[in-house]
């Protein structure tokens, strides 16, 4: 009987740990400190030079970039034609404006040769 109770308790603990691991709270990129502050050209060149090392270094990291807006829509924009930034909420920017953005790096698109960021915020 004691063994059954211990097994049930162990299973409950394992289930609780698995649930907490799978359903973690979302990150708040706006309140996080940027791990890297880099130019759009530097990050794209890093991915072009050595994609594997750049993925280990930048993926899922909070990054701060300063550049010129070359394309803009309601929920995304492109900096210097080479960094695509996706926002959680609508934003207002003008073309050719120099802005500073903080976001999470989600990868590099070989076809478009762009670094992709999501959960972006404009820093004033």
């Amino acid at each position: 009987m004691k063994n059954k109770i211990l097994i049930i308790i162990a299973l409950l603990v394992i289930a609780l740990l698995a649930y907490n691991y799978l359903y973690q709270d979302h990150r708040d990129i706006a309140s996080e400190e940027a791990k890297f502050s880099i130019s759009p050209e530097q990050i794209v060149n890093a991915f072009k030079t050595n994609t594997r090392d750049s993925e280990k270094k930048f993926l899922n990291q909070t990054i701060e970039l300063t550049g010129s807006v070359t394309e803009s829509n309601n929920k995304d924009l492109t900096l210097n034609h080479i960094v695509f930034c996706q926002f959680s909420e609508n934003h207002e920017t003008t073309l050719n404006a120099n802005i500073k953005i903080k976001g999470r790096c989600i990868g590099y698109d070989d076809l478009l040769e762009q670094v992709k960021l999501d959960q972006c915020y404009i820093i004033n």
Side-chain angles (χ1 to χ4, degrees):
M1 185 69 174
K2 246 184 178 181
N3 289 338
K4 288 182 182 180
I5 293 174
L6 289 175
I7 291 172
I8 291 172
I9 290 173
L11 289 174
L12 288 174
V13 168
I14 291 171
L16 180 66
L17 291 173
Y19 177 82
N20 286 334
Y21 177 76
L22 292 174
Y23 297 102
Q24 297 176 9
D25 290 335
H26 292 285
R27 292 171 55 185
D28 184 16
I29 300 297
S31 65
E32 283 186 23
E33 187 173 329
K35 189 162 186 178
F36 298 99
S37 184
I38 191 168
S39 76
E41 290 79 13
Q42 289 173 322
I43 194 168
V44 168
N45 287 337
F47 274 100
K48 283 182 180 180
T49 304
N50 193 336
T51 304
R52 184 169 296 214
D53 287 344
S54 296
E55 286 176 347
K56 288 178 184 176
K57 183 177 180 180
F58 295 116
L59 281 185
N60 206 26
Q61 299 297 325
T62 303
I63 298 174
E64 217 173 76
L65 299 166
T66 302
S68 178
V69 178
T70 53
E71 295 178 35
S72 181
N73 295 315
N74 286 340
K75 289 199 174 190
D76 58 64
L77 62 81
T78 304
L79 290 178
N80 298 7
H81 298 288
I82 54 176
V83 177
F84 178 81
C85 305
Q86 185 176 18
F87 292 81
S88 301
E89 300 172 357
N90 289 345
H91 65 88
E92 290 186 27
T93 56
T94 57
L95 291 179
N96 298 323
N98 283 324
I99 60 171
K100 184 184 268 189
I101 289 189
K102 181 166 61 167
R104 179 179 67 120
C105 182
I106 58 173
Y108 177 71
D109 186 339
D110 292 335
L111 182 62
L112 299 174
E113 295 184 340
Q114 289 183 334
V115 172
K116 307 278 186 179
L117 301 177
D118 72 349
Q119 300 179 31
C120 293
Y121 291 91
I122 297 175
I123 302 170
N124 293 333

